[in-house]
Amino acid sequence: MSPRTRSIVLAIAAGLALADASIVTLALPEVLVQLDTSVEGVAAVIGVYALVLAVALVPVERLQRTHGAPLVGAAGMALFGLASLLCGVAGSVVLLLVGRALQAVGGAATLIAVFALLEDGHGADRAHAKRLWLGAAVLSAAVGPALGGALTQAFDWRAIFLFQTPVALAAAWVCRTTPTRDPAVLAADDDAPGPRWAAQPTVALALVSAALTAVLFLLVLLLVAGWSVDPLRAALTVSVLPAAALVGSRIGGDATHRAAAGSLLIGAGTLALAFLPDDRLLWTVAPQVLAGLGMGLALPALGGELLPERTGRDAAWLLTTRHVGIFAIIAVLGSITATRLEDATQRARERGVAVALDARLPPQQKVSLAPALLGSVDAADPRGALLEALDRERASLDPEDLPEYDRMASRVDETLIAAVGESFDVAFLVTGGLAVLAALVLAPKAPPPSVRTGALLGVTLVVTAAAPALYAREQDDRRPTPIALLDPCTAERQLPGSGGLSGFVQDRALEALDTSACELGSSREELVLALADPQDADRFEERYGRRPSAGNIITSLLFGG
């Protein structure tokens, strides 16, 4: 096997280890459902990998100095492959997390060994190897979600892990048979004096890595779990990011200026994601282009230029810094987003019930329709459950009621989309702010820019301010009119007034529903959900101290009992 071919195989192994922090993101909704876990649980699937990798990198680098890169790398790749197999057959989230932790240990050994082996080349081969390492370091995390989404769509979420096993085992054989210098000689090279690490670029790298997690994790979660986009379409959508990162990595200039400009572009793209006007995937393209360009500018400038990447020890600290940032932001924002998504889903259910109750549909049909549509909606896949219920209930309606039903369905759907988007906005705003903060951290170190660089930085500043502002204006223009949940004791509702005997019964039923809700101290929407769903009834009883009965007069009136 030629040296260049070996280098390519080793770079693929390193790219796989780096991509594994994000490769599973498009499969998380399926993991959530099949393994019966929560949003926090699926966030841990990424967080555990990032944390263990960050902890293991420096100790593994010391081990590699003693035993050599071929042995340590082969052992790490073999462990990574077997741990991937364990993840692929896991029947519980606990076993999956154990597999992910073992993957991370193997991934740490893989990365340190591959760096050492690629650095051990000479002349043109070494230059080629350096480019491969840089490509793996910059692009792999961005490519991960697209690759994982394609595998999930074609097969199953388990395929993401199972396909890695033969790749890792093959790379282990290549690594073990790669010739290298004596470990003692390499260790002496690592101990040679070199550039010192600086605090500001280190902090900036951690902040940028945390911000990019919003694009690599939160955006994917919004697409698949929030908007119910199928994994392949989501994979194609997020493929914009690595393409833009590749373009950004080709832009030259002073390292500090590139890192600062890249951080600002990441911030602009991430902040714009907080103001997505609606669920059309096209709206996500421009923010991803900005974040991808920023990624391609900032990561190479920070890792390898402003921060040294001359030795295995340098590489270990660089990768540790990146993954500490990833883990920290997932640990903080994972639970916040999960709570906000659950709250937003509940609000959307209640607002959807309000829309259904006010629709001009037959009274008994629509009051039973409201909980049938919204009762199955939960935070695991809110829109997917809603769309399935809308299709199911539509088949039971008379043809003359379908136009009104379709208007109601569209209103309920857009209400849910807006609510889901609101649950992610804080996370996008926080991570976008972190990227802008990274640019501010770097600013004191920046030398005076040239005319060309100054113009580039000026454009970057304008884009950073303009992109979120334009998206916020579009969101405000396109946002559906909020549905108010009125106080049933004082509400002066405009009743459907559809006429005839059925219309009269409908209006009286809605008035009686308000009266009953007023007596219980709840909204009418909460009451309808509680009458139809045991979990909502439990929530109702916990909040109001009474469990609504299906045997009272109001229930008989509403449900025809």
Side-chain angles (χ1 to χ4, degrees), residues 91-486:
S92 69
V93 72
V94 173
L95 190 58
L96 178 58
L97 293 177
V98 170
R100 290 289 282 169
L102 293 173
Q103 264 193 317
V105 175
T110 298
L111 291 168
I112 294 301
V114 168
F115 179 85
L117 292 171
L118 293 181
E119 280 289 306
D120 199 31
H122 299 279
D125 286 338
R126 182 172 186 178
H128 177 252
K130 289 284 286 184
R131 288 194 296 272
L132 288 174
W133 174 259
L134 180 62
V138 174
L139 297 178
S140 55
V143 171
L147 177 60
L151 287 169
T152 301
Q153 182 75 20
F155 304 102
D156 180 71
W157 68 267
R158 298 178 187 277
I160 292 175
F161 298 107
L162 296 177
F163 108 93
Q164 297 182 62
T165 299
V167 176
L169 294 179
W173 177 81
V174 172
C175 184
R176 188 68 185 94
T177 58
T178 298
T180 186
R181 289 181 289 166
D182 184 86
V185 176
L186 294 175
D189 288 347
D190 279 358
D191 289 332
R196 297 184 62 185
W197 274 56
Q200 288 160 303
T202 302
V203 172
L205 178 60
L207 292 172
V208 163
S209 299
L212 284 169
T213 304
V215 187
L216 296 171
F217 170 60
L218 293 175
L219 175 59
V220 169
L221 196 62
L222 172 62
L223 294 180
V224 180
W227 292 353
S228 199
V229 177
D230 66 67
L232 185 57
R233 286 181 65 211
L236 292 173
T237 301
V238 299
S239 65
V240 172
L241 188 72
L246 183 61
V247 174
S249 67
R250 302 297 180 90
I251 300 174
D254 175 77
T256 304
H257 293 150
R258 284 171 24 237
S263 299
L264 288 174
L265 288 173
I266 292 169
T270 308
L271 290 171
L273 289 173
F275 304 103
L276 292 173
D278 55 44
D279 67 322
R280 281 179 290 184
L281 298 182
L282 190 61
W283 286 115
T284 70
V285 172
Q288 287 189 84
V289 168
L290 293 175
L293 287 172
M295 183 181 186
L297 280 167
L299 289 185
L302 288 167
E305 295 186 53
L306 295 179
L307 294 172
E309 197 176 26
R310 186 183 60 86
T311 66
R313 181 185 300 167
D314 292 340
W317 280 110
L318 270 175
L319 292 169
T320 297
T321 302
R322 283 180 61 175
H323 287 86
V324 164
I326 293 170
F327 169 75
I329 203 66
I330 288 177
V332 173
L333 292 183
S335 60
I336 292 175
T337 302
T339 301
R340 287 178 60 83
L341 182 58
E342 187 173 339
D343 292 343
T345 301
Q346 181 60 24
R347 289 196 306 273
R349 293 173 74 229
E350 293 172 8
R351 291 170 182 170
V353 168
V355 172
L357 291 177
D358 291 337
R360 292 173 174 266
L361 292 171
Q364 291 178 313
Q365 193 172 47
K366 79 171 182 181
V367 178
S368 61
L369 187 67
L373 290 177
L374 284 306
S376 60
V377 173
D378 58 32
D381 184 13
R383 195 183 184 201
L386 174 63
L387 294 177
E388 183 179 338
L390 288 170
D391 287 341
R392 182 182 63 246
E393 297 300 326
R394 192 178 191 276
S396 66
L397 294 177
D398 294 332
E400 61 268 21
D401 294 324
L402 291 180
E404 177 65 17
Y405 178 84
D406 290 340
R407 282 191 290 272
M408 179 208 71
S410 177
R411 187 77 170 102
V412 171
D413 185 39
E414 67 181 12
T415 298
L416 180 63
I417 290 169
V420 169
E422 290 169 4
S423 66
F424 284 83
D425 56 8
V426 168
F428 285 130
L429 290 172
V430 169
T431 48
L434 292 179
V436 174
L437 180 60
L440 296 177
V441 168
L442 291 167
K445 288 183 64 67
S450 64
V451 174
R452 178 187 172 192
T453 303
L456 176 63
L457 290 172
V459 170
T460 302
L461 286 170
V462 171
V463 170
T464 302
L470 289 172
Y471 265 65
R473 189 178 70 180
E474 284 294 326
Q475 184 191 63
D476 188 60
D477 290 343
R478 296 169 183 268
R479 186 188 297 273
T481 304
I483 297 169
L485 300 181
L486 303 178

Side-chain angles (χ1 to χ4, degrees), residues 23 28 43 65 77 114 183 335-336 377 403 501-502 528 540 545 547:
I23 196 171
L28 291 181
R65 288 172 173 229
M77 293 172 195
V114 168
S335 60
I336 292 175
V377 173
L501 179 60
S502 65
V528 168
F540 189 100
R547 194 177 188 89

